[in-house]
């Protein structure tokens, strides 16, 4: 399960790219603002939930922010090599994630509104019913 910020245009656009890469459909998106996320992340405060995205494994293991990127890539076709690189640089990966997260509003402006709209529709179709 990929728990994401449904109010962030950049987040949704990036998630849609990942979901398109996920040809086996192993990833399921879950908006942070929904009741599913509250149940999945019950041990976190609302502030901690909203501080980053989260990857929840079938066994309930949670990884968040930059620490979740390698695990996510390992689930995708051809993602093992880049995951191995990220695992060798956890501090750099986390810093890069934090930088993007802190600048997501500005970065989002570079993505056309039509692309974000299509991404939002695609992500919604992939959410569990």
């Amino acid at each position: 399960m990929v728990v994401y910020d449904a109010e962030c245009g950049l987040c949704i656009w990036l998630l849609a790219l990942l979901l398109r890469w996920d040809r086996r459909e192993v990833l399921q998106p879950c908006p942070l603002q929904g009741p599913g996320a509250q149940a999945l992340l019950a041990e976190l405060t609302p502030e901690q939930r909203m501080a980053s995205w989260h990857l929840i494994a079938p066994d309930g293991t949670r990884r968040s922010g930059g620490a979740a990127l390698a695990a996510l890539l390992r689930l995708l076709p051809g993602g093992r090599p880049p995951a191995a690189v990220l695992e060798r640089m956890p501090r750099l990966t986390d810093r890069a994630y934090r930088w993007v997260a802190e600048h997501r509003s500005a970065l989002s402006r570079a993505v056309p509104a039509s692309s974000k709209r299509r991404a939002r529709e695609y992500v919604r179709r992939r959410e569990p019913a």
Side-chain angles (χ1 to χ4, degrees), residues 37-46 48-49 54 56 60-64:
Q38 290 178 7
L40 288 168
L41 305 171
E43 76 280 5
L44 301 178
T45 66
Q48 290 170 318
R49 284 183 213 138
H54 311 274
I56 312 294
T61 303
R62 176 183 48 83
R63 291 182 177 91
S64 302

Side-chain angles (χ1 to χ4, degrees), residues 12-89:
I12 293 168
W13 182 74
L14 290 170
L15 177 58
L17 292 176
L18 291 168
L19 293 174
R20 289 181 196 284
W21 184 359
D22 177 28
R23 294 186 303 264
R24 295 179 309 232
E25 296 191 3
V26 296
L27 301 177
Q28 291 184 319
C30 176
L32 272 165
Q33 294 82 357
Q38 290 178 7
L40 288 168
L41 305 171
E43 76 280 5
L44 301 178
T45 66
E47 294 78 24
Q48 290 170 318
R49 284 183 213 138
M50 293 303 295
S52 68
W53 74 284
H54 311 274
L55 180 67
I56 312 294
D59 68 0
T61 303
R62 176 183 48 83
R63 291 182 177 91
S64 302
L69 291 171
L72 175 85
L73 288 173
R74 287 193 177 283
L75 297 171
L76 299 172
R80 287 186 183 277
V85 171
L86 294 181
E87 286 172 338
R88 288 188 199 115
M89 304 180 288

Side-chain angles (χ1 to χ4, degrees), residues 9-10 12-13 106-120:
L10 180 67
I12 293 168
W13 182 74
L107 293 169
S108 183
R109 288 191 285 269
V111 179
S114 59
S115 293
K116 288 186 274 193
R117 187 172 43 257
R118 284 190 306 274
R120 185 176 308 278

